[in-house]
Amino acid sequence: MSTTICQVMGFLVSSLGVAGCIVSTAMDSWSTQDLYDNPVTAVFQYQGLWRSCVRQSSGFTECRPYFTILGLPAMFQAVRALMIVGIVLGILGLLVCIFALKCIRIGTMEDSAKANMTLTSGIMFIIAGLCAITGVSVFANMLVTNFWMSTANMYQGMQNIQNRYTFGSALFVGWVAGGLALVGGILMCLACRGLVPEETRYKAVSYNASGPNISYRTGPYKVASGYEPETKARKGAGYEEAARSEDGRRSYPSKYDYV
């Protein structure tokens, strides 16, 4: 997979993920009334992060926003914060990713700058996806806890305490959107490796010129008895530096130069 294809695919998948996070946050069906024990009812209730709605059998729907902040549970407010942070990071990541696309050339921007921008947008998408998945999972855990508490109260004969709520469609949209943003961020991080300019792995090595060549006379070997004293090395014209001729070529001693 080339760098451009990986980068474009990461951008498209992340865009779908961020759009899904926005849609999921705005939806009112985070929790819906469980109708398992009461399939025939004149009123159907469902709730979102910002308001609760009531739909009657006649088709009339009335929604009422939450007019309080401090009166809401702490976990509920944490889910709100996580979804908002995920949306903000996702939008910022899309803006950075647009300028980091390799197919778009802006001025004299180098590939190293595009690589850094691509990595930054990928990290933003990953964090945004994790925030969305975490927020939806926390809300789902709240629903499960309240559901089993309501079920236990119903078996104890206290049916009119509260209604039971189950998973709404917004939860599944949020899970899918968070996963898409996470996958898009990983693709952007992988595309960053292809944008980094390759540096030379081998450093320049300076070589010094070798010394002048010295020619030595080759002759038959003399077998020593082992008792003779070591003789000094014989010096002659053949052991000295070969002289260069006027035309620049190297001249070598002949066999008549030695005694």
Side-chain angles (χ1 to χ4, degrees), residues 34-238:
D34 184 34
L35 302 178
Y36 178 75
D37 294 332
N38 188 15
V40 180
T41 179
V43 178
F44 177 73
Q45 300 180 6
Y46 55 95
Q47 299 176 353
L49 294 180
W50 313 103
R51 59 182 184 176
S52 60
C53 300
V54 176
R55 185 178 62 194
Q56 300 179 1
S57 59
S58 60
F60 178 76
T61 303
E62 181 181 2
C63 295
R64 180 181 180 183
Y66 302 125
F67 295 104
T68 180
I69 296 179
L70 300 178
L72 297 174
M75 298 300 293
F76 191 87
Q77 298 181 14
V79 173
R80 277 182 170 183
L82 286 172
M83 297 303 296
I84 292 175
V85 170
I87 292 173
V88 172
L89 288 177
I91 293 175
L92 291 178
L94 289 177
L95 295 178
V96 175
C97 184
I98 290 175
F99 295 102
L101 291 176
K102 190 176 181 180
C103 57
I104 298 177
R105 180 66 61 180
I106 300 176
T108 58
M109 184 179 296
E110 300 179 354
D111 291 340
S112 59
K114 284 183 174 292
N116 294 331
M117 296 175 66
T118 302
L119 180 60
T120 302
S121 61
I123 294 175
M124 288 184 177
F125 290 143
I126 292 176
I127 297 176
L130 291 177
C131 288
I133 294 174
T134 304
V136 175
S137 300
V138 169
F139 193 91
N141 183 55
M142 293 171 54
L143 287 179
V144 172
T145 303
N146 294 332
F147 181 87
W148 291 114
M149 290 179 61
S150 301
T151 303
N153 293 332
M154 291 176 61
Y155 283 119
Q156 293 176 2
M158 297 179 290
Q159 292 89 350
N160 297 327
I161 292 180
Q162 58 183 0
N163 295 324
R164 294 190 307 177
Y165 291 90
T166 185
F167 294 170
S169 58
L171 295 180
F172 301 100
V173 175
W175 272 318
V176 174
L180 290 177
L182 185 62
V183 173
I186 294 174
L187 290 176
M188 295 299 292
C189 293
L190 294 177
C192 172
R193 300 180 58 184
L195 293 174
V196 176
E198 297 182 357
E199 298 179 356
T200 56
R201 298 183 179 180
Y202 302 97
K203 298 182 180 179
V205 180
S206 59
Y207 296 92
N208 297 325
S210 60
N213 295 330
I214 301 176
S215 60
Y216 299 91
R217 179 186 176 184
T218 60
Y221 295 97
K222 181 180 179 182
V223 179
S225 60
Y227 297 97
E228 294 84 4
E230 294 182 359
T231 57
K232 297 182 179 180
R234 183 174 55 179
K235 295 183 179 180

